[in-house]
Amino acid sequence: MQMITENIKGKKYNQLINFLASHCDRFAFVENRQLMEIEEERLAYVEELIADIKEHLLERKVQREWETTKLGGATAYVYYFKMNNETKLFLRDHSNSLFGWTHDLPEDLMFYKKDKCLLAACSHEGFFLVDKVFWKEFLKKGLF
């Protein structure tokens, strides 16, 4: 995986999400329990946020680590969704940048093809990891 620190915004963000949607079968995002003031309220907020794509939720797992982060003793909720047109529009409509997934939104978008992660963002740290072959294909199409 290659690390990139440049945020992808606006039209390029939409192009990236479209490209990921055509190459991936699922995506995930994270709700870090350490950052929740009142866990029940935050989880209710997330449930409301994902109401339109809830039918595409594959699972919600409690994890200590994911592609960009390893927590000490703390845990986070990682939500896994099918990638399809509805979830693609959700990702495009709720942010205009890859690093915009913080604060009011869940964090750390991750995109998978089967069990391989093609792209994993660490929004609050301002970097993302990307599969080199996938990234070369994205660049070849002139999308970045």
Side-chain angles (χ1 to χ4, degrees):
M1 298 280 271
Q2 178 176 335
M3 180 188 283
I4 299 176
T5 57
E6 185 175 340
N7 192 5
I8 299 178
K9 302 177 186 178
K11 181 180 176 185
K12 296 291 185 187
Y13 171 75
N14 287 335
Q15 291 172 327
L16 176 64
I17 296 300
N18 289 340
F19 196 70
L20 285 161
S22 68
H23 288 78
C24 297
D25 53 24
R26 64 189 171 105
F27 78 93
F29 59 61
V30 177
E31 273 298 316
N32 190 335
R33 296 173 84 185
Q34 293 179 112
L35 304 177
M36 296 179 185
E37 281 187 43
I38 303 170
E39 187 169 331
E40 295 77 21
E41 287 181 13
R42 181 62 184 187
L43 291 177
Y45 169 77
V46 172
E47 289 296 314
E48 185 178 318
L49 180 72
I50 66 171
D52 291 342
I53 61 167
K54 181 82 175 202
E55 67 188 271
H56 306 293
L57 179 66
L58 297 168
E59 64 182 325
R60 182 184 84 174
K61 294 170 63 175
V62 176
Q63 297 178 208
R64 292 191 192 289
E65 62 182 76
W66 51 96
E67 275 67 25
T68 61
T69 304
K70 289 184 182 180
L71 301 174
T75 60
Y77 294 105
V78 183
Y79 291 75
Y80 293 88
F81 294 88
K82 289 180 208 172
M83 178 59 88
N84 57 38
N85 194 55
E86 285 182 66
T87 56
K88 173 184 80 172
L89 293 175
F90 170 85
L91 293 168
R92 286 181 30 194
D93 291 347
H94 282 84
S95 181
N96 67 350
S97 73
L98 191 57
F99 299 160
W101 290 87
T102 57
H103 307 297
D104 290 341
L105 294 173
E107 296 185 328
D108 296 358
L109 291 179
M110 296 166 281
F111 297 87
Y112 302 89
K113 182 174 187 171
K114 298 186 182 180
D115 290 330
K116 183 178 184 177
C117 183
L118 296 183
L119 187 145
C122 188
S123 308
H124 67 280
E125 296 290 337
F127 73 89
F128 64 95
L129 304 173
V130 63
D131 175 80
K132 289 180 182 181
V133 173
F134 172 79
W135 191 244
K136 284 179 185 175
E137 191 174 332
F138 186 72
L139 292 173
K140 189 167 61 175
K141 296 217 182 268
L143 299 174
F144 185 72

